[in-house]
């Protein structure tokens, strides 16, 4: 047993060394140290993360993990536009073995399994197919996990594991119909080019039930915000599942398998599961509760025009702005409070880019007196769901969606 | 709390693995767009495919290397050997303080789910290291 363990350890580290050598051979420039630090203000810490712009295709990002990259969008980015620039769009990979080079001529997407005719599609063929474009928020299931109390293991994100983009591509239904889905199909599984570092470990794959996969909205995107995807966001193709958490938005998508039985592999059966309770909420420490795979997102909103801890000159009334999302429905309204949630007033909603997009909101709020002020925004979706005041808790740190508080200091 | 840090290098663990990783940066931040013009000997331009007004161009990337290691402390060598193959140490160093039982659960998950090569006798010393790790603000 020990001998085998040692051999496995050696195999892993040898592979790792080879990879490191391959990276070195790229010889782009002299390595430098990241210098600036971001403070994520996570309860109990650690809260400081490097800010760096050295990742391929990426501007300044909060570095949660270098390998495989976990990069968070600095929160100030969300105040600039409801669409998140691709070069500051968050990045999240599970396994470090991913291609560092993709040739658009030889890349193929396969559609196989419970279909009449397995097919292999080139990118040139895909570009000839009818297109769909949709504005949609892509949010990690564990966005804001670092704010859970008590804290839970996993990527310790603040609120920046999300972004909104215009996704351009081809409807998944169109591609499935080309292969011809058989009558016994129940689900569709998606795999990308990333792979586990050790043999036998679970490859990252996700699936959707067949009705969802064929709803005409789920799509294979080859562009975001009008440009091809950055490699770290899934070039050349990624699945877009509007209204659903990012775990389903498989990157570097190259394999679509139609299943005649439910997906029982690790990433559907064991990981990314939530309690069946409303809001996925359980008592901290609870175990043995029933779970289901995570699915649709829920409404959220944030103040973006002022940052946590910011100092402003006192005025009897101040402008306030931010963003909201309705989850798998549109944003019906946003209400704001400047007195810790005692009184609320409606915000004015900005342009509507579709129900899956971020929506800008703006308002003016009164300030009672100088001092510490607790600002809040609260979104209600077109499905009539309003953000709760109290945070949820579950052991994986999924689906945080309560009203967030931004505390500022108004001085005279 | 002081007892927890005993045996660890005096350097705050929060800063290790936070500033100590190496990035390959193409120029200073803010000037990351254009690389210097390619030398004459550079290969052919990347291949591309186009249709209906959209072009996809072949891409390559150089991922930054990560030289960060786990901060010094009892069993640090073992943790470096067993917990850096699949992900950067920052996966661990960004975690908040957890009790030893929680860390043991995590170590066992690495072994049982992700096939991390961890021998039975390594579990206790790795867990001890993780539970004793000082956590910065």
């Amino acid at each position: 047993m020990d001998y085998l363990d040692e051999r496995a350890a050696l195999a892993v580290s040898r592979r790792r060394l080879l990879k490191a050598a391959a990276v070195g051979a790229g010889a782009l420039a002299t390595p430098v140290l990241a210098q600036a630090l971001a403070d994520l203000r996570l309860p109990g810490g650690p809260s400081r993360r490097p800010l760096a712009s050295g990742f391929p295709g990426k501007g300044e990002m909060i570095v949660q993990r270098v390998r495989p990259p976990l990069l968070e969008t600095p929160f100030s980015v969300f105040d600039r536009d409801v669409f998140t620039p691709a070069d500051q769009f968050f990045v999240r990979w599970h396994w470090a073995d991913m291609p560092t080079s993709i040739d658009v001529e030889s890349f193929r997407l396969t559609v196989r399994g419970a279909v009449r005719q397995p097919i292999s599609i080139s990118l040139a063929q895909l570009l000839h197919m009818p297109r769909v474009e949709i504005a949609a928020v892509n949010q990690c299931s564990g966005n804001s996990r670092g704010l859970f109390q008590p804290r839970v293991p996993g990527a310790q994100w603040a609120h920046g594991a999300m972004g909104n983009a215009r996704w351009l591509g081809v409807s998944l239904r169109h591609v499935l119909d080309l292969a011809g889905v058989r009558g016994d199909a129940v689900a569709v599984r998606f795999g990308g080019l990333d792979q586990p570092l050790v043999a036998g470990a679970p490859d990252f794959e996700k699936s959707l039930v067949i009705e969802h996969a064929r709803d005409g909205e789920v799509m294979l995107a080859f562009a975001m915000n009008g440009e091809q995807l950055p490699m770290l966001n899934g070039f050349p193709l990624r699945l877009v599942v509007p209204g659903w958490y990012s775990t389903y938005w498989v990157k570097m998508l190259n394999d679509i398998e139609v299943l005649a039985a439910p997906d029982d592999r690790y990433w559907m059966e064991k990981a990314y599961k939530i309690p069946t309770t409303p809001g996925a909420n359980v008592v901290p420490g609870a175990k043995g509760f029933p779970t289901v795979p995570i699915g649709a997102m829920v409404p959220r909103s944030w103040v973006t025009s002022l940052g946590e801890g910011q100092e402003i000159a006192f005025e009897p009334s101040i402008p306030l702005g931010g963003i909201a999302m309705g989850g798998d429905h549109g944003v019906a309204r946003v209400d704001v409070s400047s007195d810790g949630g005692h009184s609320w007033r409606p915000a004015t909603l900005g342009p509507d880019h579709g129900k899956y997009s971020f929506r800008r909101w703006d308002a003016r709020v009164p300030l009672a007196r100088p001092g510490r002020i607790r600002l809040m925004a609260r979104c209600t979706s077109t499905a009539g769901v309003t953000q709760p005041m109290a945070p949820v808790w579950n052991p994986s740190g999924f689906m945080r969606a309560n009203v967030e508080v931004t505390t500022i200091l108004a001085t005279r | 709390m002081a007892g927890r840090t005993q045996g660890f290098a005096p350097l705050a663990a929060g800063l290790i693995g936070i500033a100590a990783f190496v990035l390959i940066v193409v120029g200073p931040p803010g000037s990351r767009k254009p690389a210097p013009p390619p030398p004459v000997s550079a290969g052919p331009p990347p291949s591309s495919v186009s249709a209906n007004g959209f072009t996809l161009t072949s891409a390559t990337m150089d991922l930054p290397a990560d030289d960060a290691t786990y901060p010094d402390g009892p069993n640090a060598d073992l943790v470096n050997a067993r917990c850096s193959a699949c992900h950067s140490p920052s996966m661990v160093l960004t975690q908040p303080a957890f009790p030893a039982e929680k860390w043991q659960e995590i170590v066992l998950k690495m072994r049982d789910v992700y096939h991390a090569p961890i021998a039975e006798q390594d579990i206790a010393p790795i867990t001890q290291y993780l539970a004793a790790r000082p956590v910065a603000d």
Side-chain angles (χ1 to χ4, degrees):
Chain A
M1 177 69 189
D2 283 352
Y3 171 69
L4 279 180
D5 282 346
E6 285 304 321
R7 288 208 344 167
L10 275 176
V12 172
S13 49
R14 188 167 318 120
R15 194 136 179 217
R16 194 171 158 241
L17 284 176
L18 287 174
K19 279 188 168 295
V23 168
L28 260 182
T30 326
V32 298
L33 287 178
Q35 271 153 2
L37 290 177
D39 183 351
L40 301 183
R41 298 168 180 265
L42 309 182
S47 292
R48 277 178 278 278
R49 306 282 187 275
L51 277 163
S53 47
F55 285 82
K58 291 287 148 180
E60 187 171 78
M61 298 295 285
I62 298 166
V63 183
Q64 292 278 5
R65 184 177 73 192
V66 175
R67 196 182 62 89
L70 287 183
L71 308 176
E72 175 165 348
T73 302
F75 204 71
S76 58
V77 170
F78 298 111
D79 194 48
R80 282 178 219 143
D81 193 344
V82 287
F83 292 104
T84 317
D87 75 343
Q88 288 192 292
F89 210 93
F90 85 103
V91 170
R92 196 258 181 276
W93 294 84
H94 296 79
W95 289 108
D97 188 356
M98 67 187 88
T100 53
S101 153
I102 298 219
D103 173 33
V104 292
E105 287 173 330
S106 56
F107 176 89
R108 292 291 180 277
L109 168 70
T110 55
V111 185
R112 62 194 176 94
V115 293
R116 280 192 288 280
Q117 178 64 56
I119 52 174
S120 163
I121 302 171
S122 71
L123 289 170
Q125 287 170 318
L126 201 85
L127 288 178
H128 278 101
M129 294 178 190
R131 288 182 189 167
V132 287
E133 189 178 42
I134 201 160
V137 173
N138 175 221
Q139 180 186 210
C140 181
S141 312
N143 190 26
S144 321
R145 178 185 289 117
L147 299 166
F148 269 58
Q149 284 182 286
R151 298 282 296 274
V152 294
Q156 301 298 326
W157 305 109
H159 297 304
M162 61 173 187
N164 184 42
R166 287 190 175 90
W167 307 95
L168 176 68
V170 174
S171 144
L172 173 62
R173 180 171 63 199
H174 180 81
V175 169
L176 288 174
D177 287 352
L178 290 177
V181 173
R182 282 195 337 228
D184 58 343
V186 299
V188 184
R189 179 158 56 211
F190 308 93
L193 290 168
D194 49 328
Q195 281 180 11
L197 278 179
V198 280
D203 191 8
F204 184 73
E205 302 166 313
K206 296 296 292 185
S207 58
L208 297 172
V209 298
I210 189 74
E211 295 76 20
H212 191 180
R214 298 191 75 258
D215 73 357
E217 287 192 332
V218 178
M219 65 185 281
L220 317 176
F222 51 75
M224 62 189 289
N225 299 334
E227 311 254 353
Q228 68 182 37
L229 307 172
M231 277 190 93
L232 287 176
N233 293 104
F235 179 80
L237 277 184
R238 88 176 293 174
L239 197 69
V240 166
V241 188
W244 277 41
Y245 284 101
S246 182
T247 181
Y248 295 97
W249 299 41
V250 172
K251 297 178 291 300
M252 291 190 178
L253 175 72
N254 74 325
D255 187 36
I256 297 178
E257 185 185 1
V258 181
L259 304 176
D263 187 354
D264 59 358
R265 294 197 183 157
Y266 174 75
W267 295 101
M268 286 305 294
E269 185 68 25
K270 295 279 192 315
Y272 290 102
K273 301 281 290 275
I274 53 165
T276 52
T277 49
N281 187 29
V282 293
V283 174
K287 285 203 166 101
F289 45 81
T291 62
V292 288
I294 197 169
M297 298 191 290
V298 289
R300 296 194 75 176
S301 59
W302 294 266
V303 169
T304 59
S305 61
L306 291 169
E308 178 65 29
Q310 196 169 329
E311 257 187 68
I312 60 164
F314 174 80
E315 309 239 6
S317 128
I318 57 164
L320 202 61
I323 53 169
M325 57 181 277
D328 62 343
H329 285 80
V331 173
R333 59 182 296 152
V334 172
D335 296 282
V336 292
S337 171
S338 53
D339 58 5
H342 290 293
S343 63
W344 295 87
R345 62 192 61 227
T348 307
L349 298 181
D352 185 358
H353 300 284
K355 65 178 180 174
Y356 299 118
S357 172
F358 278 148
R359 191 133 182 210
R360 175 79 195 182
W361 58 263
D362 283 282
R364 277 202 85 84
V365 293
L367 302 188
R369 64 190 70 84
R372 272 162 46 94
I373 290 151
R374 286 155 56 79
L375 302 167
M376 298 176 184
R378 185 180 68 191
C379 174
T380 300
S381 74
T382 53
V385 181
T386 299
Q387 288 184 261
M389 291 299 286
V392 297
W393 192 91
N394 54 65
S396 304
F398 292 150
M399 294 187 74
R400 182 176 168 101
N402 54 284
V403 169
E404 303 290 349
V405 183
T406 304
T407 305
I408 60 163
L409 186 65
T411 53
R412 233 197 267 277
Chain B
M1 197 63 198
R4 297 193 53 188
T5 64
Q6 219 175 22
F8 275 86
L11 202 48
L15 291 175
I16 304 174
I18 279 187
F21 74 90
V22 177
L23 282 178
I24 297 163
V25 174
V26 188
S31 75
R32 64 198 129 75
K33 275 266 159 65
V40 188
S41 62
S47 55
S48 63
V49 293
S50 310
N52 297 334
F54 200 90
T55 301
L56 289 169
T57 304
S58 295
T60 57
M61 64 175 169
D62 282 279
L63 284 171
D66 189 2
D67 289 354
T69 55
Y70 288 87
D72 284 348
N75 311 317
D77 288 351
L78 183 62
V79 176
N80 273 311
R82 296 290 179 265
C83 307
S84 342
C86 300
H87 46 68
S88 296
S90 68
M91 178 84 263
V92 179
L93 300 175
T94 54
Q95 300 301 313
F98 291 127
E101 307 82 72
K102 186 90 210 160
W103 277 116
Q104 173 157 324
E105 238 174 71
I106 293 169
V107 172
L108 293 178
K109 176 182 176 185
M110 295 305 130
R111 184 191 68 179
D112 299 340
V113 175
Y114 300 132
H115 294 219
I118 300 166
E120 202 60 40
Q121 72 264 20
D122 291 346
I123 295 169
I126 291 176
T127 302
Q128 272 161 29
Y129 174 93
L130 296 168
R133 174 186 68 100
V135 171
D137 283 350

